[in-house]
Amino acid sequence: MVAPNLLGPTAERVPDVERIAVLRANALGDFIFLLPALDAVRAAYPEAEIVLLGAPWHAKLWRDRPGPVDRVLVVPPAPGIRAPDPGEPESAMDDFLAAARKERFDLALQVHGGGANSNPVVAALGARVTAGLRAEDAPPLDRWLRYVYYQHEVIRYLEVAALVGAPATTIVPTLAVTDADRAEAAEVLGPPERPRVALHSGATDTRRRWPPERFAEVARELHGDGYEVLVTGTPAEQEVVDRVVAAAGVPVRPLVGALSLGGLAGCYAGCALVVSNDTGPLHLAAAVGTATVGVFWVGNLINTANPLRGRHRPISSWTVHCPVCGVDCTPGIYPHRPGDGECPHRDSFVTDVPTAEVMQAARELLTA
Protein backbone atom coordinates (compact mmCIF):
# COMPACT_ATOMS: atom_id res chain seq x y z
CA MET A 1 0.00 0.00 0.00
CA VAL A 2 1.31 3.44 -0.91
CA ALA A 3 1.10 5.90 2.00
CA PRO A 4 -0.47 9.35 1.40
CA ASN A 5 1.93 12.27 1.33
CA LEU A 6 1.14 15.97 1.24
CA LEU A 7 4.33 16.54 -0.76
CA GLY A 8 3.60 14.08 -3.56
CA PRO A 9 3.85 10.35 -4.26
CA THR A 10 5.32 8.06 -1.64
CA ALA A 11 6.92 4.74 -2.50
CA GLU A 12 6.13 1.42 -0.85
CA ARG A 13 7.52 0.89 2.60
CA VAL A 14 10.28 -1.65 2.87
CA PRO A 15 9.12 -4.70 4.86
CA ASP A 16 10.80 -6.11 7.96
CA VAL A 17 13.01 -3.11 8.71
CA GLU A 18 14.88 -3.27 12.00
CA ARG A 19 17.79 -0.86 11.47
CA ILE A 20 18.14 2.27 9.31
CA ALA A 21 21.34 4.19 8.50
CA VAL A 22 21.15 7.87 7.57
CA LEU A 23 24.28 9.60 6.25
CA ARG A 24 24.47 13.30 7.16
CA ALA A 25 27.88 14.29 8.53
CA ASN A 26 28.22 18.00 7.84
CA ALA A 27 27.36 21.26 9.62
CA LEU A 28 24.76 22.30 12.20
CA GLY A 29 22.29 23.99 9.86
CA ASP A 30 22.50 21.07 7.45
CA PHE A 31 21.46 18.71 10.22
CA ILE A 32 18.61 20.95 11.40
CA PHE A 33 17.13 20.82 7.88
CA LEU A 34 17.11 17.01 8.06
CA LEU A 35 15.01 16.78 11.24
CA PRO A 36 11.55 16.68 9.55
CA ALA A 37 12.74 13.83 7.30
CA LEU A 38 13.99 11.94 10.35
CA ASP A 39 10.60 12.52 11.99
CA ALA A 40 8.93 11.07 8.88
CA VAL A 41 11.16 7.99 8.93
CA ARG A 42 10.49 7.48 12.62
CA ALA A 43 6.72 7.66 12.05
CA ALA A 44 6.88 5.21 9.13
CA TYR A 45 9.20 2.75 10.91
CA PRO A 46 8.36 3.22 14.62
CA GLU A 47 10.05 0.02 15.77
CA ALA A 48 13.26 0.43 13.76
CA GLU A 49 16.52 1.76 15.15
CA ILE A 50 17.61 4.95 13.33
CA VAL A 51 21.39 5.33 13.26
CA LEU A 52 22.84 8.66 12.14
CA LEU A 53 26.18 8.40 10.35
CA GLY A 54 27.54 11.74 11.45
CA ALA A 55 30.41 13.77 12.87
CA PRO A 56 31.72 13.80 16.47
CA TRP A 57 29.56 16.83 17.31
CA HIS A 58 26.42 14.88 16.34
CA ALA A 59 27.29 12.24 18.93
CA LYS A 60 27.71 14.91 21.63
CA LEU A 61 24.51 16.74 20.72
CA TRP A 62 22.40 13.60 20.58
CA ARG A 63 23.58 12.12 23.87
CA ASP A 64 20.48 11.69 26.09
CA ARG A 65 18.34 13.88 23.81
CA PRO A 66 14.80 12.82 22.86
CA GLY A 67 14.08 12.74 19.15
CA PRO A 68 14.18 10.57 16.06
CA VAL A 69 17.86 9.52 16.29
CA ASP A 70 18.58 6.45 18.40
CA ARG A 71 22.33 6.30 17.97
CA VAL A 72 25.21 8.05 16.19
CA LEU A 73 28.05 6.32 14.37
CA VAL A 74 30.89 8.74 13.71
CA VAL A 75 31.98 8.58 10.07
CA PRO A 76 35.73 9.00 9.50
CA PRO A 77 36.95 12.15 7.73
CA ALA A 78 36.98 11.68 3.96
CA PRO A 79 36.81 13.89 0.85
CA GLY A 80 33.24 15.07 0.30
CA ILE A 81 32.08 13.52 3.58
CA ARG A 82 33.57 15.65 6.34
CA ALA A 83 36.80 17.36 7.40
CA PRO A 84 38.68 16.10 10.45
CA ASP A 85 38.18 17.85 13.78
CA PRO A 86 41.31 19.40 15.34
CA GLY A 87 43.34 16.66 16.98
CA GLU A 88 41.04 13.92 15.73
CA PRO A 89 42.90 10.60 15.29
CA GLU A 90 43.09 9.17 11.81
CA SER A 91 40.75 6.35 10.90
CA ALA A 92 40.19 4.52 7.64
CA MET A 93 36.90 4.54 5.76
CA ASP A 94 37.42 0.89 4.79
CA ASP A 95 37.62 -0.11 8.44
CA PHE A 96 34.50 1.93 9.25
CA LEU A 97 32.52 0.33 6.43
CA ALA A 98 33.61 -3.17 7.42
CA ALA A 99 32.34 -2.53 10.95
CA ALA A 100 29.15 -0.85 9.67
CA ARG A 101 28.27 -3.85 7.51
CA LYS A 102 28.14 -5.93 10.67
CA GLU A 103 25.25 -3.72 11.80
CA ARG A 104 23.13 -5.39 9.07
CA PHE A 105 21.24 -2.27 8.03
CA ASP A 106 17.94 -2.86 6.27
CA LEU A 107 17.73 0.68 4.87
CA ALA A 108 20.46 3.22 4.16
CA LEU A 109 19.59 6.81 3.23
CA GLN A 110 21.95 9.28 1.58
CA VAL A 111 20.99 12.86 2.49
CA HIS A 112 24.49 14.27 2.21
CA GLY A 113 24.57 16.19 -1.05
CA GLY A 114 24.66 15.13 -4.67
CA GLY A 115 26.21 11.75 -4.00
CA ALA A 116 29.49 11.77 -5.93
CA ASN A 117 31.34 10.95 -2.70
CA SER A 118 28.49 9.89 -0.43
CA ASN A 119 26.64 7.39 -2.63
CA PRO A 120 29.59 4.98 -2.74
CA VAL A 121 29.76 5.11 1.06
CA VAL A 122 26.04 4.36 1.43
CA ALA A 123 26.17 1.61 -1.20
CA ALA A 124 29.07 -0.02 0.67
CA LEU A 125 27.05 -0.33 3.89
CA GLY A 126 25.45 -3.52 2.56
CA ALA A 127 21.87 -2.46 3.30
CA ARG A 128 18.99 -4.34 1.68
CA VAL A 129 17.68 -1.09 0.16
CA THR A 130 19.55 2.17 -0.45
CA ALA A 131 17.93 5.50 -1.29
CA GLY A 132 18.99 9.10 -1.67
CA LEU A 133 20.07 11.95 -3.88
CA ARG A 134 21.93 11.72 -7.16
CA ALA A 135 23.64 14.48 -9.11
CA GLU A 136 24.81 13.87 -12.68
CA ASP A 137 28.30 12.81 -11.55
CA ALA A 138 27.07 10.38 -8.88
CA PRO A 139 26.44 6.63 -9.08
CA PRO A 140 22.82 5.51 -8.57
CA LEU A 141 21.31 3.96 -5.47
CA ASP A 142 18.40 1.49 -5.44
CA ARG A 143 15.91 4.37 -5.17
CA TRP A 144 17.08 7.86 -5.99
CA LEU A 145 15.97 11.41 -6.57
CA ARG A 146 17.73 13.85 -8.87
CA TYR A 147 19.74 16.44 -6.91
CA VAL A 148 18.70 19.91 -8.11
CA TYR A 149 20.56 22.72 -6.35
CA TYR A 150 17.75 25.24 -5.86
CA GLN A 151 15.27 23.44 -3.62
CA HIS A 152 14.46 24.06 0.01
CA GLU A 153 16.64 21.72 2.02
CA VAL A 154 13.80 20.53 4.28
CA ILE A 155 11.69 19.53 1.29
CA ARG A 156 14.66 17.89 -0.43
CA TYR A 157 15.16 15.44 2.42
CA LEU A 158 11.46 14.83 2.89
CA GLU A 159 11.37 13.70 -0.73
CA VAL A 160 14.18 11.25 0.03
CA ALA A 161 12.21 9.91 3.00
CA ALA A 162 9.23 9.41 0.69
CA LEU A 163 11.38 7.13 -1.49
CA VAL A 164 11.21 4.54 1.31
CA GLY A 165 7.54 5.01 2.18
CA ALA A 166 7.91 7.69 4.84
CA PRO A 167 5.46 10.55 4.14
CA ALA A 168 6.00 13.96 5.71
CA THR A 169 4.56 14.53 9.17
CA THR A 170 5.85 18.12 9.46
CA ILE A 171 7.90 20.65 7.49
CA VAL A 172 9.11 22.42 10.65
CA PRO A 173 12.47 21.32 12.13
CA THR A 174 12.15 20.86 15.89
CA LEU A 175 14.94 20.10 18.34
CA ALA A 176 14.16 19.18 21.93
CA VAL A 177 15.81 21.34 24.61
CA THR A 178 16.83 19.24 27.60
CA ASP A 179 17.08 20.11 31.27
CA ALA A 180 20.86 19.79 30.92
CA ASP A 181 20.84 22.36 28.09
CA ARG A 182 18.89 24.85 30.21
CA ALA A 183 21.04 24.19 33.29
CA GLU A 184 24.25 24.82 31.35
CA ALA A 185 22.89 28.05 29.91
CA ALA A 186 21.71 29.20 33.34
CA GLU A 187 25.10 28.44 34.90
CA VAL A 188 26.92 30.51 32.28
CA LEU A 189 24.43 33.36 31.94
CA GLY A 190 22.93 33.64 35.39
CA PRO A 191 19.40 34.97 35.93
CA PRO A 192 18.21 37.57 33.41
CA GLU A 193 17.76 41.13 34.62
CA ARG A 194 16.04 42.10 31.35
CA PRO A 195 14.44 40.06 28.56
CA ARG A 196 17.24 38.64 26.43
CA VAL A 197 17.94 38.78 22.72
CA ALA A 198 20.91 37.22 20.95
CA LEU A 199 22.86 38.32 17.90
CA HIS A 200 25.04 35.95 15.87
CA SER A 201 27.31 37.93 13.55
CA GLY A 202 29.50 35.13 12.21
CA ALA A 203 29.16 32.61 9.38
CA THR A 204 31.65 30.15 7.93
CA ASP A 205 31.13 31.58 4.44
CA THR A 206 32.15 35.25 4.70
CA ARG A 207 29.89 36.09 1.76
CA ARG A 208 26.93 35.48 4.10
CA ARG A 209 28.16 37.90 6.79
CA TRP A 210 26.24 41.12 7.37
CA PRO A 211 28.72 43.83 8.46
CA PRO A 212 29.54 43.77 12.20
CA GLU A 213 28.80 47.49 12.37
CA ARG A 214 25.19 46.76 11.36
CA PHE A 215 24.88 44.17 14.11
CA ALA A 216 26.27 46.82 16.47
CA GLU A 217 23.48 49.19 15.39
CA VAL A 218 20.92 46.47 16.14
CA ALA A 219 22.55 45.85 19.52
CA ARG A 220 22.36 49.55 20.35
CA GLU A 221 18.70 49.81 19.33
CA LEU A 222 17.62 46.68 21.22
CA HIS A 223 19.53 47.72 24.32
CA GLY A 224 17.68 51.02 24.16
CA ASP A 225 14.41 49.10 23.90
CA GLY A 226 15.16 47.45 27.25
CA TYR A 227 16.73 44.13 26.26
CA GLU A 228 19.88 42.38 27.46
CA VAL A 229 21.88 41.76 24.29
CA LEU A 230 24.02 38.63 23.90
CA VAL A 231 26.51 38.27 21.03
CA THR A 232 27.20 34.58 20.37
CA GLY A 233 30.03 33.17 18.30
CA THR A 234 32.45 30.30 17.83
CA PRO A 235 36.13 30.69 18.73
CA ALA A 236 36.86 31.16 15.01
CA GLU A 237 34.45 34.13 15.07
CA GLN A 238 36.12 35.94 17.99
CA GLU A 239 37.29 38.85 15.84
CA VAL A 240 33.87 39.59 14.36
CA VAL A 241 32.24 39.36 17.81
CA ASP A 242 34.85 41.79 19.17
CA ARG A 243 34.01 44.23 16.38
CA VAL A 244 30.31 44.10 17.23
CA VAL A 245 30.99 44.66 20.93
CA ALA A 246 33.41 47.55 20.26
CA ALA A 247 31.08 49.31 17.82
CA ALA A 248 27.90 48.90 19.87
CA GLY A 249 28.79 51.61 22.37
CA VAL A 250 26.40 50.09 24.94
CA PRO A 251 26.75 47.15 27.34
CA VAL A 252 26.41 43.89 25.41
CA ARG A 253 27.50 40.44 26.50
CA PRO A 254 29.85 38.44 24.26
CA LEU A 255 29.58 34.66 24.39
CA VAL A 256 32.38 33.07 22.39
CA GLY A 257 32.98 29.38 22.94
CA ALA A 258 31.33 29.65 26.37
CA LEU A 259 28.59 27.10 25.70
CA SER A 260 28.38 23.64 24.22
CA LEU A 261 25.97 23.20 21.34
CA GLY A 262 23.35 21.93 23.78
CA GLY A 263 24.04 24.90 26.05
CA LEU A 264 23.60 27.23 23.09
CA ALA A 265 20.22 25.61 22.41
CA GLY A 266 19.29 26.27 26.04
CA CYS A 267 20.50 29.86 25.74
CA TYR A 268 18.48 30.55 22.60
CA ALA A 269 15.41 28.88 24.08
CA GLY A 270 15.53 31.51 26.82
CA CYS A 271 15.77 34.43 24.38
CA ALA A 272 12.89 36.45 23.02
CA LEU A 273 14.62 36.80 19.62
CA VAL A 274 17.74 35.79 17.71
CA VAL A 275 19.09 38.04 14.92
CA SER A 276 21.68 36.28 12.79
CA ASN A 277 23.31 35.71 9.47
CA ASP A 278 22.22 32.63 7.54
CA THR A 279 24.22 30.10 9.54
CA GLY A 280 23.71 27.12 11.84
CA PRO A 281 22.85 29.05 15.04
CA LEU A 282 20.00 30.87 13.24
CA HIS A 283 18.41 27.55 12.28
CA LEU A 284 19.11 26.11 15.74
CA ALA A 285 17.26 29.04 17.31
CA ALA A 286 14.22 28.46 15.10
CA ALA A 287 14.30 24.71 15.85
CA VAL A 288 14.11 25.32 19.61
CA GLY A 289 11.11 27.63 19.14
CA THR A 290 12.69 31.09 19.31
CA ALA A 291 11.64 33.91 16.99
CA THR A 292 14.32 34.83 14.43
CA VAL A 293 15.36 37.55 12.03
CA GLY A 294 17.83 36.21 9.45
CA VAL A 295 19.94 38.06 6.89
CA PHE A 296 20.08 35.99 3.68
CA TRP A 297 21.65 36.13 0.26
CA VAL A 298 18.82 35.52 -2.21
CA GLY A 299 20.11 32.11 -3.35
CA ASN A 300 20.35 30.86 0.21
CA LEU A 301 16.92 32.33 0.93
CA ILE A 302 15.47 29.85 -1.58
CA ASN A 303 17.22 26.87 -0.03
CA THR A 304 17.28 27.51 3.70
CA ALA A 305 14.99 30.31 4.95
CA ASN A 306 12.29 29.28 7.40
CA PRO A 307 9.01 29.23 5.45
CA LEU A 308 6.87 30.40 8.40
CA ARG A 309 6.22 34.08 9.08
CA GLY A 310 4.43 34.04 12.42
CA ARG A 311 7.77 34.00 14.26
CA HIS A 312 10.43 34.26 11.55
CA ARG A 313 11.53 37.05 9.22
CA PRO A 314 14.17 36.33 6.58
CA ILE A 315 15.54 39.60 5.13
CA SER A 316 16.97 39.13 1.64
CA SER A 317 19.82 40.70 -0.24
CA TRP A 318 19.28 40.60 -4.01
CA THR A 319 22.96 41.00 -4.93
CA VAL A 320 24.05 38.56 -7.64
CA HIS A 321 27.22 40.29 -8.88
CA CYS A 322 30.47 40.00 -6.96
CA PRO A 323 30.97 43.29 -5.10
CA VAL A 324 34.70 43.22 -5.95
CA CYS A 325 34.93 42.19 -9.61
CA GLY A 326 31.33 42.46 -10.78
CA VAL A 327 31.07 38.87 -12.07
CA ASP A 328 27.51 37.56 -12.30
CA CYS A 329 27.65 34.64 -9.88
CA THR A 330 24.44 32.94 -11.04
CA PRO A 331 25.69 31.20 -14.26
CA GLY A 332 27.66 28.72 -12.14
CA ILE A 333 24.26 27.13 -11.45
CA TYR A 334 22.90 27.92 -14.91
CA PRO A 335 25.71 27.07 -17.35
CA HIS A 336 23.67 27.86 -20.46
CA ARG A 337 23.50 31.53 -19.50
CA PRO A 338 26.26 33.97 -20.41
CA GLY A 339 28.77 34.99 -17.74
CA ASP A 340 31.65 33.56 -15.76
CA GLY A 341 29.61 32.38 -12.81
CA GLU A 342 32.48 32.04 -10.35
CA CYS A 343 35.15 34.29 -8.87
CA PRO A 344 37.74 33.93 -6.08
CA HIS A 345 36.40 36.75 -3.89
CA ARG A 346 34.63 36.16 -0.60
CA ASP A 347 33.42 39.65 0.26
CA SER A 348 29.94 39.98 1.73
CA PHE A 349 26.97 39.67 -0.63
CA VAL A 350 24.52 41.01 1.96
CA THR A 351 25.79 44.51 2.75
CA ASP A 352 22.81 46.07 0.93
CA VAL A 353 20.41 44.90 3.65
CA PRO A 354 19.60 48.04 5.66
CA THR A 355 19.55 48.06 9.45
CA ALA A 356 16.09 49.64 9.38
CA GLU A 357 14.57 46.53 7.76
CA VAL A 358 16.13 44.24 10.34
CA MET A 359 15.00 46.44 13.22
CA GLN A 360 11.47 46.71 11.86
CA ALA A 361 11.22 42.93 11.67
CA ALA A 362 12.77 42.51 15.11
CA ARG A 363 10.34 44.92 16.75
CA GLU A 364 7.37 43.33 15.02
CA LEU A 365 8.31 39.94 16.42
CA LEU A 366 9.17 41.24 19.88
CA THR A 367 5.83 43.04 20.24
CA ALA A 368 3.65 40.41 18.56
Side-chain angles (χ1 to χ4, degrees):
M1 177 180 178
V2 177
N5 187 1
L6 296 176
L7 301 180
T10 302
E12 296 279 353
R13 291 182 188 173
V14 179
D16 303 320
V17 170
E18 296 182 0
R19 188 166 292 113
I20 303 169
V22 181
L23 175 61
R24 185 70 167 165
N26 37 18
L28 173 60
D30 301 306
F31 178 70
I32 296 294
F33 304 140
L34 177 63
L35 289 171
L38 290 172
D39 289 334
V41 173
R42 165 59 67 224
Y45 298 95
E47 303 302 322
E49 181 186 30
I50 297 178
V51 181
L52 178 70
L53 309 188
W57 72 263
H58 291 100
K60 294 176 183 177
L61 178 67
W62 218 261
R63 188 175 299 127
D64 301 322
R65 186 175 304 276
V69 174
D70 295 305
R71 184 161 51 99
V72 176
L73 284 182
V74 175
V75 182
I81 302 299
R82 70 175 185 90
D85 284 359
E88 183 178 2
E90 292 186 9
S91 55
M93 181 62 75
D94 288 345
D95 293 340
F96 170 81
L97 291 172
R101 283 191 288 271
K102 296 179 182 178
E103 298 267 354
R104 301 180 66 85
F105 290 110
D106 299 292
L107 288 180
L109 304 184
Q110 189 282 99
V111 283
H112 191 88
N117 296 291
S118 49
N119 282 4
V121 171
V122 167
L125 293 171
R128 287 196 288 123
V129 176
T130 61
L133 300 161
R134 183 191 182 192
E136 292 183 1
D137 60 347
L141 300 170
D142 296 326
R143 304 179 184 183
W144 57 271
L145 176 73
R146 177 63 69 194
Y147 179 88
V148 179
Y149 181 77
Y150 280 125
Q151 179 183 20
H152 199 284
E153 298 291 307
V154 168
I155 305 302
R156 190 193 309 279
Y157 308 127
L158 283 170
E159 286 200 295
V160 172
L163 292 175
V164 295
T169 59
T170 181
I171 62 167
V172 179
T174 302
L175 184 75
V177 180
T178 67
D179 291 342
D181 297 337
R182 297 182 191 276
E184 180 186 343
E187 182 177 359
V188 171
L189 296 171
E193 297 181 359
R194 299 173 158 197
R196 283 175 174 148
V197 296
L199 313 183
H200 192 92
S201 54
T204 304
D205 187 344
T206 54
R207 294 172 297 180
R208 290 189 272 116
R209 288 186 181 179
W210 202 40
E213 294 72 24
R214 307 277 180 85
F215 276 103
E217 292 177 37
V218 172
R220 197 157 49 245
E221 294 272 354
L222 291 176
H223 179 271
D225 288 348
Y227 292 92
E228 179 185 359
V229 180
L230 313 177
V231 185
T232 58
T234 66
E237 296 164 345
Q238 180 73 63
E239 180 182 359
V240 70
V241 170
D242 289 345
R243 288 175 61 186
V244 174
V245 172
V250 296
V252 298
R253 187 168 182 179
L255 290 172
V256 177
L259 294 162
S260 70
L261 198 50
L264 186 63
C267 168
Y268 285 162
C271 289
L273 178 73
V274 172
V275 180
S276 174
N277 296 315
D278 168 30
T279 188
L282 174 71
H283 307 296
L284 174 66
V288 300
T290 302
T292 67
V293 177
V295 177
F296 286 81
W297 177 64
V298 60
N300 299 129
L301 182 86
I302 296 168
N303 279 31
T304 66
N306 194 295
L308 306 181
R309 293 295 169 267
R311 292 176 58 76
H312 306 290
R313 298 286 195 280
I315 311 295
S316 179
S317 165
W318 298 89
T319 298
V320 296
H321 293 86
C322 171
V324 177
C325 65
V327 163
D328 182 349
C329 290
T330 58
I333 303 299
Y334 300 110
H336 300 293
R337 303 184 188 187
D340 295 330
E342 297 291 343
C343 75
H345 303 112
R346 290 298 179 266
D347 291 57
S348 173
F349 270 59
V350 297
T351 58
D352 61 325
V353 172
T355 305
E357 288 185 10
V358 172
M359 280 307 309
Q360 180 182 6
R363 286 176 171 139
E364 283 181 0
L365 292 171
L366 287 168
T367 59

